[in-house]
Amino acid sequence: MLVLSGVLVLSLVAVAVVWWDRPDGEHELSAPERVCRDTFSTTNILPLFREAEGDLRSDVMDGWPGGLKKPNLAPVCEVYTDRMTVGFRISYPGYPDKLREVRKERKHITELGEAYGSYSETDGAIILDVPCPAPGEPDATLALNVGASSVREGEKGSLPKLADLTGYAARTLAQKVYKCKGAEKLPEGPVHIKKGEGTR
């Protein structure tokens, strides 16, 4: 009986610590360990759901996550709560414009090692084309689009979180799912967003 009482006391203390250690304004959010058919760890996605509460869920479409055996699809995974979303879309194989053309046309360009693309303020999305040669198509890319409602709505501090997530998603998909040649050279860390010369 004393042992049971001691366990109950320790449990209550543990619960109290978890509750009081939560940052001000943070809500209760129930989330699985992985989403998008176990493709991504939620640890890397949760920063974009800081103000969310309830249950974190995900839906997949078009054969997500795809792979080299399923070309010409555009698999999608959407992670969401009742009012916030993070979406991933893949196109493989992709055929992007040259970096100099993207820089000339776009207001913001994105880079992660040899991968590059653009950032859309309107859509709250980062587009990144990762080199991923296909049989007979040495210039093919894994075209990745990652968007978040918090970025689209202008939530302060959300864009760096999206850049972190996109870097993680690009490495995960290129190295573990599509197994792109040279993917091991993708650097750790976030996608870098730089000023372009265009207005789009």
PDB file of all heavy atoms in Angstrom, residues 20-54:
ATOM      1  N   TRP A  20       3.414  22.644 -15.574  1.00  0.00           N
ATOM      2  CA  TRP A  20       3.989  23.943 -15.255  1.00  0.00           C
ATOM      3  C   TRP A  20       5.171  24.303 -16.133  1.00  0.00           C
ATOM      4  O   TRP A  20       5.512  25.472 -16.265  1.00  0.00           O
ATOM      5  CB  TRP A  20       4.402  23.989 -13.777  1.00  0.00           C
ATOM      6  CG  TRP A  20       3.221  24.026 -12.869  1.00  0.00           C
ATOM      7  CD1 TRP A  20       2.804  23.051 -12.022  1.00  0.00           C
ATOM      8  CD2 TRP A  20       2.274  25.085 -12.740  1.00  0.00           C
ATOM      9  NE1 TRP A  20       1.667  23.428 -11.367  1.00  0.00           N
ATOM     10  CE2 TRP A  20       1.314  24.678 -11.783  1.00  0.00           C
ATOM     11  CE3 TRP A  20       2.141  26.341 -13.327  1.00  0.00           C
ATOM     12  CZ2 TRP A  20       0.248  25.482 -11.412  1.00  0.00           C
ATOM     13  CZ3 TRP A  20       1.079  27.145 -12.946  1.00  0.00           C
ATOM     14  CH2 TRP A  20       0.143  26.710 -12.007  1.00  0.00           C
ATOM     15  N   ASP A  21       5.807  23.325 -16.724  1.00  0.00           N
ATOM     16  CA  ASP A  21       6.929  23.608 -17.611  1.00  0.00           C
ATOM     17  C   ASP A  21       6.497  24.037 -19.010  1.00  0.00           C
ATOM     18  O   ASP A  21       7.313  24.446 -19.816  1.00  0.00           O
ATOM     19  CB  ASP A  21       7.834  22.366 -17.754  1.00  0.00           C
ATOM     20  CG  ASP A  21       8.803  22.264 -16.590  1.00  0.00           C
ATOM     21  OD1 ASP A  21       8.861  23.227 -15.813  1.00  0.00           O
ATOM     22  OD2 ASP A  21       9.475  21.231 -16.469  1.00  0.00           O
ATOM     23  N   ARG A  22       5.216  23.939 -19.300  1.00  0.00           N
ATOM     24  CA  ARG A  22       4.742  24.329 -20.636  1.00  0.00           C
ATOM     25  C   ARG A  22       4.846  25.840 -20.793  1.00  0.00           C
ATOM     26  O   ARG A  22       4.469  26.587 -19.891  1.00  0.00           O
ATOM     27  CB  ARG A  22       3.300  23.888 -20.858  1.00  0.00           C
ATOM     28  CG  ARG A  22       3.141  22.377 -20.882  1.00  0.00           C
ATOM     29  CD  ARG A  22       1.687  21.991 -20.976  1.00  0.00           C
ATOM     30  NE  ARG A  22       1.140  22.329 -22.277  1.00  0.00           N
ATOM     31  CZ  ARG A  22       1.255  21.564 -23.359  1.00  0.00           C
ATOM     32  NH1 ARG A  22       1.923  20.428 -23.285  1.00  0.00           N
ATOM     33  NH2 ARG A  22       0.723  21.911 -24.501  1.00  0.00           N
ATOM     34  N   PRO A  23       5.349  26.346 -21.918  1.00  0.00           N
ATOM     35  CA  PRO A  23       5.457  27.799 -22.128  1.00  0.00           C
ATOM     36  C   PRO A  23       4.092  28.457 -22.095  1.00  0.00           C
ATOM     37  O   PRO A  23       3.077  27.844 -22.431  1.00  0.00           O
ATOM     38  CB  PRO A  23       6.079  27.903 -23.532  1.00  0.00           C
ATOM     39  CG  PRO A  23       6.727  26.577 -23.769  1.00  0.00           C
ATOM     40  CD  PRO A  23       5.892  25.574 -23.037  1.00  0.00           C
ATOM     41  N   ASP A  24       4.063  29.718 -21.684  1.00  0.00           N
ATOM     42  CA  ASP A  24       2.808  30.467 -21.663  1.00  0.00           C
ATOM     43  C   ASP A  24       2.183  30.480 -23.046  1.00  0.00           C
ATOM     44  O   ASP A  24       2.858  30.716 -24.047  1.00  0.00           O
ATOM     45  CB  ASP A  24       3.061  31.909 -21.208  1.00  0.00           C
ATOM     46  CG  ASP A  24       3.446  31.974 -19.739  1.00  0.00           C
ATOM     47  OD1 ASP A  24       3.186  30.982 -19.026  1.00  0.00           O
ATOM     48  OD2 ASP A  24       4.021  33.001 -19.329  1.00  0.00           O
ATOM     49  N   GLY A  25       0.894  30.242 -23.112  1.00  0.00           N
ATOM     50  CA  GLY A  25       0.181  30.318 -24.382  1.00  0.00           C
ATOM     51  C   GLY A  25       0.200  29.026 -25.171  1.00  0.00           C
ATOM     52  O   GLY A  25      -0.470  28.916 -26.189  1.00  0.00           O
ATOM     53  N   GLU A  26       0.963  28.021 -24.718  1.00  0.00           N
ATOM     54  CA  GLU A  26       1.016  26.771 -25.470  1.00  0.00           C
ATOM     55  C   GLU A  26      -0.196  25.919 -25.117  1.00  0.00           C
ATOM     56  O   GLU A  26      -0.563  25.779 -23.958  1.00  0.00           O
ATOM     57  CB  GLU A  26       2.307  26.018 -25.160  1.00  0.00           C
ATOM     58  CG  GLU A  26       2.482  24.773 -26.019  1.00  0.00           C
ATOM     59  CD  GLU A  26       3.835  24.131 -25.819  1.00  0.00           C
ATOM     60  OE1 GLU A  26       4.765  24.843 -25.395  1.00  0.00           O
ATOM     61  OE2 GLU A  26       3.949  22.926 -26.081  1.00  0.00           O
ATOM     62  N   HIS A  27      -0.851  25.350 -26.125  1.00  0.00           N
ATOM     63  CA  HIS A  27      -2.064  24.577 -25.915  1.00  0.00           C
ATOM     64  C   HIS A  27      -1.762  23.079 -25.944  1.00  0.00           C
ATOM     65  O   HIS A  27      -0.698  22.650 -26.361  1.00  0.00           O
ATOM     66  CB  HIS A  27      -3.084  24.917 -27.011  1.00  0.00           C
ATOM     67  CG  HIS A  27      -3.420  26.372 -27.060  1.00  0.00           C
ATOM     68  ND1 HIS A  27      -4.241  26.973 -26.154  1.00  0.00           N
ATOM     69  CD2 HIS A  27      -3.021  27.349 -27.905  1.00  0.00           C
ATOM     70  CE1 HIS A  27      -4.351  28.264 -26.447  1.00  0.00           C
ATOM     71  NE2 HIS A  27      -3.606  28.516 -27.496  1.00  0.00           N
ATOM     72  N   GLU A  28      -2.733  22.321 -25.495  1.00  0.00           N
ATOM     73  CA  GLU A  28      -2.610  20.875 -25.531  1.00  0.00           C
ATOM     74  C   GLU A  28      -2.793  20.392 -26.966  1.00  0.00           C
ATOM     75  O   GLU A  28      -3.776  20.716 -27.627  1.00  0.00           O
ATOM     76  CB  GLU A  28      -3.672  20.240 -24.629  1.00  0.00           C
ATOM     77  CG  GLU A  28      -3.483  20.544 -23.141  1.00  0.00           C
ATOM     78  CD  GLU A  28      -2.325  19.762 -22.542  1.00  0.00           C
ATOM     79  OE1 GLU A  28      -1.829  18.846 -23.208  1.00  0.00           O
ATOM     80  OE2 GLU A  28      -1.933  20.076 -21.412  1.00  0.00           O
ATOM     81  N   LEU A  29      -1.842  19.614 -27.455  1.00  0.00           N
ATOM     82  CA  LEU A  29      -1.923  19.065 -28.796  1.00  0.00           C
ATOM     83  C   LEU A  29      -1.521  17.600 -28.742  1.00  0.00           C
ATOM     84  O   LEU A  29      -0.427  17.263 -28.282  1.00  0.00           O
ATOM     85  CB  LEU A  29      -0.998  19.816 -29.756  1.00  0.00           C
ATOM     86  CG  LEU A  29      -0.962  19.316 -31.204  1.00  0.00           C
ATOM     87  CD1 LEU A  29      -2.328  19.494 -31.866  1.00  0.00           C
ATOM     88  CD2 LEU A  29       0.110  20.041 -32.002  1.00  0.00           C
ATOM     89  N   SER A  30      -2.410  16.733 -29.197  1.00  0.00           N
ATOM     90  CA  SER A  30      -2.129  15.307 -29.238  1.00  0.00           C
ATOM     91  C   SER A  30      -1.590  14.950 -30.616  1.00  0.00           C
ATOM     92  O   SER A  30      -2.227  15.240 -31.627  1.00  0.00           O
ATOM     93  CB  SER A  30      -3.413  14.521 -28.957  1.00  0.00           C
ATOM     94  OG  SER A  30      -3.204  13.138 -29.130  1.00  0.00           O
ATOM     95  N   ALA A  31      -0.396  14.354 -30.666  1.00  0.00           N
ATOM     96  CA  ALA A  31       0.232  14.078 -31.959  1.00  0.00           C
ATOM     97  C   ALA A  31       0.877  12.697 -31.962  1.00  0.00           C
ATOM     98  O   ALA A  31       1.490  12.286 -30.967  1.00  0.00           O
ATOM     99  CB  ALA A  31       1.288  15.137 -32.273  1.00  0.00           C
ATOM    100  N   PRO A  32       0.778  11.967 -33.080  1.00  0.00           N
ATOM    101  CA  PRO A  32       1.502  10.694 -33.195  1.00  0.00           C
ATOM    102  C   PRO A  32       2.993  10.961 -33.360  1.00  0.00           C
ATOM    103  O   PRO A  32       3.402  12.093 -33.606  1.00  0.00           O
ATOM    104  CB  PRO A  32       0.904  10.084 -34.470  1.00  0.00           C
ATOM    105  CG  PRO A  32       0.504  11.280 -35.286  1.00  0.00           C
ATOM    106  CD  PRO A  32       0.035  12.310 -34.295  1.00  0.00           C
ATOM    107  N   GLU A  33       3.802   9.916 -33.242  1.00  0.00           N
ATOM    108  CA  GLU A  33       5.252  10.101 -33.377  1.00  0.00           C
ATOM    109  C   GLU A  33       5.654  10.380 -34.817  1.00  0.00           C
ATOM    110  O   GLU A  33       6.616  11.105 -35.069  1.00  0.00           O
ATOM    111  CB  GLU A  33       5.993   8.864 -32.863  1.00  0.00           C
ATOM    112  CG  GLU A  33       5.913   8.694 -31.363  1.00  0.00           C
ATOM    113  CD  GLU A  33       6.753   7.527 -30.880  1.00  0.00           C
ATOM    114  OE1 GLU A  33       7.455   6.907 -31.710  1.00  0.00           O
ATOM    115  OE2 GLU A  33       6.709   7.236 -29.671  1.00  0.00           O
ATOM    116  N   ARG A  34       4.913   9.795 -35.775  1.00  0.00           N
ATOM    117  CA  ARG A  34       5.253   9.968 -37.187  1.00  0.00           C
ATOM    118  C   ARG A  34       3.983  10.197 -37.991  1.00  0.00           C
ATOM    119  O   ARG A  34       2.893   9.755 -37.584  1.00  0.00           O
ATOM    120  CB  ARG A  34       6.022   8.759 -37.730  1.00  0.00           C
ATOM    121  CG  ARG A  34       7.322   8.481 -36.975  1.00  0.00           C
ATOM    122  CD  ARG A  34       8.163   7.429 -37.660  1.00  0.00           C
ATOM    123  NE  ARG A  34       8.733   7.920 -38.918  1.00  0.00           N
ATOM    124  CZ  ARG A  34       9.841   8.653 -38.996  1.00  0.00           C
ATOM    125  NH1 ARG A  34      10.493   9.025 -37.906  1.00  0.00           N
ATOM    126  NH2 ARG A  34      10.315   9.037 -40.164  1.00  0.00           N
ATOM    127  N   VAL A  35       4.128  10.877 -39.137  1.00  0.00           N
ATOM    128  CA  VAL A  35       2.987  11.170 -40.004  1.00  0.00           C
ATOM    129  C   VAL A  35       3.356  10.898 -41.458  1.00  0.00           C
ATOM    130  O   VAL A  35       4.508  10.598 -41.767  1.00  0.00           O
ATOM    131  CB  VAL A  35       2.525  12.637 -39.846  1.00  0.00           C
ATOM    132  CG1 VAL A  35       1.908  12.875 -38.479  1.00  0.00           C
ATOM    133  CG2 VAL A  35       3.686  13.596 -40.099  1.00  0.00           C
ATOM    134  N   CYS A  36       2.373  11.039 -42.330  1.00  0.00           N
ATOM    135  CA  CYS A  36       2.584  10.841 -43.765  1.00  0.00           C
ATOM    136  C   CYS A  36       3.094   9.425 -44.051  1.00  0.00           C
ATOM    137  O   CYS A  36       4.137   9.226 -44.663  1.00  0.00           O
ATOM    138  CB  CYS A  36       3.544  11.888 -44.338  1.00  0.00           C
ATOM    139  SG  CYS A  36       2.984  13.597 -44.157  1.00  0.00           S
ATOM    140  N   ARG A  37       2.323   8.439 -43.583  1.00  0.00           N
ATOM    141  CA  ARG A  37       2.705   7.034 -43.725  1.00  0.00           C
ATOM    142  C   ARG A  37       4.101   6.773 -43.173  1.00  0.00           C
ATOM    143  O   ARG A  37       4.933   6.124 -43.801  1.00  0.00           O
ATOM    144  CB  ARG A  37       2.601   6.592 -45.177  1.00  0.00           C
ATOM    145  CG  ARG A  37       1.181   6.386 -45.663  1.00  0.00           C
ATOM    146  CD  ARG A  37       1.132   5.765 -47.031  1.00  0.00           C
ATOM    147  NE  ARG A  37      -0.255   5.547 -47.442  1.00  0.00           N
ATOM    148  CZ  ARG A  37      -0.665   5.492 -48.704  1.00  0.00           C
ATOM    149  NH1 ARG A  37       0.214   5.647 -49.691  1.00  0.00           N
ATOM    150  NH2 ARG A  37      -1.922   5.281 -48.992  1.00  0.00           N
ATOM    151  N   ASP A  38       4.356   7.325 -41.996  1.00  0.00           N
ATOM    152  CA  ASP A  38       5.616   7.135 -41.273  1.00  0.00           C
ATOM    153  C   ASP A  38       6.822   7.762 -41.976  1.00  0.00           C
ATOM    154  O   ASP A  38       7.970   7.473 -41.625  1.00  0.00           O
ATOM    155  CB  ASP A  38       5.897   5.643 -41.037  1.00  0.00           C
ATOM    156  CG  ASP A  38       4.919   5.023 -40.056  1.00  0.00           C
ATOM    157  OD1 ASP A  38       4.404   5.763 -39.204  1.00  0.00           O
ATOM    158  OD2 ASP A  38       4.676   3.815 -40.137  1.00  0.00           O
ATOM    159  N   THR A  39       6.582   8.655 -42.922  1.00  0.00           N
ATOM    160  CA  THR A  39       7.699   9.285 -43.630  1.00  0.00           C
ATOM    161  C   THR A  39       8.436  10.287 -42.761  1.00  0.00           C
ATOM    162  O   THR A  39       9.668  10.342 -42.765  1.00  0.00           O
ATOM    163  CB  THR A  39       7.199   9.999 -44.900  1.00  0.00           C
ATOM    164  OG1 THR A  39       6.466   9.085 -45.709  1.00  0.00           O
ATOM    165  CG2 THR A  39       8.361  10.559 -45.709  1.00  0.00           C
ATOM    166  N   PHE A  40       7.691  11.105 -42.009  1.00  0.00           N
ATOM    167  CA  PHE A  40       8.290  12.197 -41.244  1.00  0.00           C
ATOM    168  C   PHE A  40       8.036  12.047 -39.747  1.00  0.00           C
ATOM    169  O   PHE A  40       6.957  11.629 -39.329  1.00  0.00           O
ATOM    170  CB  PHE A  40       7.725  13.545 -41.691  1.00  0.00           C
ATOM    171  CG  PHE A  40       7.896  13.850 -43.144  1.00  0.00           C
ATOM    172  CD1 PHE A  40       6.798  14.195 -43.922  1.00  0.00           C
ATOM    173  CD2 PHE A  40       9.144  13.798 -43.748  1.00  0.00           C
ATOM    174  CE1 PHE A  40       6.947  14.486 -45.276  1.00  0.00           C
ATOM    175  CE2 PHE A  40       9.299  14.082 -45.087  1.00  0.00           C
ATOM    176  CZ  PHE A  40       8.197  14.425 -45.855  1.00  0.00           C
ATOM    177  N   SER A  41       9.032  12.462 -38.964  1.00  0.00           N
ATOM    178  CA  SER A  41       8.862  12.556 -37.524  1.00  0.00           C
ATOM    179  C   SER A  41       8.096  13.836 -37.200  1.00  0.00           C
ATOM    180  O   SER A  41       8.399  14.904 -37.755  1.00  0.00           O
ATOM    181  CB  SER A  41      10.230  12.591 -36.836  1.00  0.00           C
ATOM    182  OG  SER A  41      10.099  12.987 -35.493  1.00  0.00           O
ATOM    183  N   THR A  42       7.125  13.750 -36.315  1.00  0.00           N
ATOM    184  CA  THR A  42       6.365  14.958 -35.973  1.00  0.00           C
ATOM    185  C   THR A  42       7.210  15.969 -35.207  1.00  0.00           C
ATOM    186  O   THR A  42       6.867  17.146 -35.150  1.00  0.00           O
ATOM    187  CB  THR A  42       5.116  14.606 -35.137  1.00  0.00           C
ATOM    188  OG1 THR A  42       5.504  13.765 -34.054  1.00  0.00           O
ATOM    189  CG2 THR A  42       4.083  13.909 -35.978  1.00  0.00           C
ATOM    190  N   THR A  43       8.319  15.519 -34.636  1.00  0.00           N
ATOM    191  CA  THR A  43       9.206  16.446 -33.927  1.00  0.00           C
ATOM    192  C   THR A  43       9.606  17.606 -34.833  1.00  0.00           C
ATOM    193  O   THR A  43       9.754  18.749 -34.380  1.00  0.00           O
ATOM    194  CB  THR A  43      10.473  15.710 -33.450  1.00  0.00           C
ATOM    195  OG1 THR A  43      10.091  14.644 -32.581  1.00  0.00           O
ATOM    196  CG2 THR A  43      11.413  16.662 -32.713  1.00  0.00           C
ATOM    197  N   ASN A  44       9.782  17.325 -36.113  1.00  0.00           N
ATOM    198  CA  ASN A  44      10.206  18.353 -37.061  1.00  0.00           C
ATOM    199  C   ASN A  44       9.049  19.189 -37.601  1.00  0.00           C
ATOM    200  O   ASN A  44       9.275  20.221 -38.235  1.00  0.00           O
ATOM    201  CB  ASN A  44      10.933  17.684 -38.236  1.00  0.00           C
ATOM    202  CG  ASN A  44      12.202  16.992 -37.805  1.00  0.00           C
ATOM    203  OD1 ASN A  44      13.248  17.603 -37.685  1.00  0.00           O
ATOM    204  ND2 ASN A  44      12.113  15.693 -37.547  1.00  0.00           N
ATOM    205  N   ILE A  45       7.827  18.762 -37.353  1.00  0.00           N
ATOM    206  CA  ILE A  45       6.649  19.449 -37.882  1.00  0.00           C
ATOM    207  C   ILE A  45       5.952  20.286 -36.814  1.00  0.00           C
ATOM    208  O   ILE A  45       5.408  21.356 -37.095  1.00  0.00           O
ATOM    209  CB  ILE A  45       5.666  18.422 -38.482  1.00  0.00           C
ATOM    210  CG1 ILE A  45       6.325  17.709 -39.667  1.00  0.00           C
ATOM    211  CG2 ILE A  45       4.360  19.082 -38.920  1.00  0.00           C
ATOM    212  CD1 ILE A  45       5.494  16.575 -40.245  1.00  0.00           C
ATOM    213  N   LEU A  46       6.000  19.830 -35.565  1.00  0.00           N
ATOM    214  CA  LEU A  46       5.267  20.493 -34.488  1.00  0.00           C
ATOM    215  C   LEU A  46       5.594  21.973 -34.296  1.00  0.00           C
ATOM    216  O   LEU A  46       4.706  22.723 -33.885  1.00  0.00           O
ATOM    217  CB  LEU A  46       5.491  19.740 -33.171  1.00  0.00           C
ATOM    218  CG  LEU A  46       4.747  18.403 -33.064  1.00  0.00           C
ATOM    219  CD1 LEU A  46       5.136  17.686 -31.772  1.00  0.00           C
ATOM    220  CD2 LEU A  46       3.242  18.608 -33.127  1.00  0.00           C
ATOM    221  N   PRO A  47       6.827  22.449 -34.554  1.00  0.00           N
ATOM    222  CA  PRO A  47       7.069  23.885 -34.387  1.00  0.00           C
ATOM    223  C   PRO A  47       6.121  24.768 -35.203  1.00  0.00           C
ATOM    224  O   PRO A  47       5.866  25.912 -34.829  1.00  0.00           O
ATOM    225  CB  PRO A  47       8.518  24.053 -34.854  1.00  0.00           C
ATOM    226  CG  PRO A  47       9.162  22.748 -34.512  1.00  0.00           C
ATOM    227  CD  PRO A  47       8.089  21.720 -34.822  1.00  0.00           C
ATOM    228  N   LEU A  48       5.578  24.255 -36.296  1.00  0.00           N
ATOM    229  CA  LEU A  48       4.645  25.031 -37.114  1.00  0.00           C
ATOM    230  C   LEU A  48       3.203  24.904 -36.619  1.00  0.00           C
ATOM    231  O   LEU A  48       2.291  25.460 -37.223  1.00  0.00           O
ATOM    232  CB  LEU A  48       4.740  24.602 -38.577  1.00  0.00           C
ATOM    233  CG  LEU A  48       5.983  25.140 -39.290  1.00  0.00           C
ATOM    234  CD1 LEU A  48       6.305  24.316 -40.519  1.00  0.00           C
ATOM    235  CD2 LEU A  48       5.789  26.611 -39.658  1.00  0.00           C
ATOM    236  N   PHE A  49       3.011  24.190 -35.521  1.00  0.00           N
ATOM    237  CA  PHE A  49       1.684  24.042 -34.910  1.00  0.00           C
ATOM    238  C   PHE A  49       1.699  24.557 -33.476  1.00  0.00           C
ATOM    239  O   PHE A  49       0.976  24.058 -32.626  1.00  0.00           O
ATOM    240  CB  PHE A  49       1.253  22.571 -34.924  1.00  0.00           C
ATOM    241  CG  PHE A  49       0.866  22.059 -36.274  1.00  0.00           C
ATOM    242  CD1 PHE A  49       1.806  21.475 -37.105  1.00  0.00           C
ATOM    243  CD2 PHE A  49      -0.433  22.173 -36.734  1.00  0.00           C
ATOM    244  CE1 PHE A  49       1.470  20.998 -38.357  1.00  0.00           C
ATOM    245  CE2 PHE A  49      -0.792  21.703 -37.986  1.00  0.00           C
ATOM    246  CZ  PHE A  49       0.157  21.114 -38.800  1.00  0.00           C
ATOM    247  N   ARG A  50       2.520  25.556 -33.216  1.00  0.00           N
ATOM    248  CA  ARG A  50       2.701  26.049 -31.848  1.00  0.00           C
ATOM    249  C   ARG A  50       1.388  26.506 -31.209  1.00  0.00           C
ATOM    250  O   ARG A  50       1.160  26.288 -30.027  1.00  0.00           O
ATOM    251  CB  ARG A  50       3.712  27.196 -31.826  1.00  0.00           C
ATOM    252  CG  ARG A  50       3.927  27.780 -30.445  1.00  0.00           C
ATOM    253  CD  ARG A  50       5.073  28.755 -30.392  1.00  0.00           C
ATOM    254  NE  ARG A  50       5.107  29.455 -29.118  1.00  0.00           N
ATOM    255  CZ  ARG A  50       5.524  28.928 -27.981  1.00  0.00           C
ATOM    256  NH1 ARG A  50       5.935  27.694 -27.962  1.00  0.00           N
ATOM    257  NH2 ARG A  50       5.533  29.633 -26.870  1.00  0.00           N
ATOM    258  N   GLU A  51       0.514  27.125 -31.955  1.00  0.00           N
ATOM    259  CA  GLU A  51      -0.734  27.642 -31.402  1.00  0.00           C
ATOM    260  C   GLU A  51      -1.896  26.673 -31.559  1.00  0.00           C
ATOM    261  O   GLU A  51      -3.033  27.010 -31.266  1.00  0.00           O
ATOM    262  CB  GLU A  51      -1.082  28.977 -32.067  1.00  0.00           C
ATOM    263  CG  GLU A  51      -0.036  30.068 -31.885  1.00  0.00           C
ATOM    264  CD  GLU A  51       0.209  30.379 -30.410  1.00  0.00           C
ATOM    265  OE1 GLU A  51      -0.761  30.383 -29.632  1.00  0.00           O
ATOM    266  OE2 GLU A  51       1.378  30.598 -30.040  1.00  0.00           O
ATOM    267  N   ALA A  52      -1.617  25.460 -32.028  1.00  0.00           N
ATOM    268  CA  ALA A  52      -2.693  24.506 -32.297  1.00  0.00           C
ATOM    269  C   ALA A  52      -3.057  23.710 -31.051  1.00  0.00           C
ATOM    270  O   ALA A  52      -2.275  23.599 -30.110  1.00  0.00           O
ATOM    271  CB  ALA A  52      -2.275  23.554 -33.414  1.00  0.00           C
ATOM    272  N   GLU A  53      -4.261  23.158 -31.070  1.00  0.00           N
ATOM    273  CA  GLU A  53      -4.692  22.265 -30.011  1.00  0.00           C
ATOM    274  C   GLU A  53      -5.581  21.193 -30.621  1.00  0.00           C
ATOM    275  O   GLU A  53      -5.978  21.285 -31.777  1.00  0.00           O
ATOM    276  CB  GLU A  53      -5.427  23.041 -28.917  1.00  0.00           C
ATOM    277  CG  GLU A  53      -6.588  23.852 -29.409  1.00  0.00           C
ATOM    278  CD  GLU A  53      -7.178  24.744 -28.322  1.00  0.00           C
ATOM    279  OE1 GLU A  53      -6.797  24.601 -27.150  1.00  0.00           O
ATOM    280  OE2 GLU A  53      -8.024  25.577 -28.659  1.00  0.00           O
ATOM    281  N   GLY A  54      -5.843  20.156 -29.854  1.00  0.00           N
ATOM    282  CA  GLY A  54      -6.657  19.060 -30.373  1.00  0.00           C
ATOM    283  C   GLY A  54      -5.779  17.926 -30.875  1.00  0.00           C
ATOM    284  O   GLY A  54      -4.734  17.620 -30.306  1.00  0.00           O
TER     285      GLY A  54
END
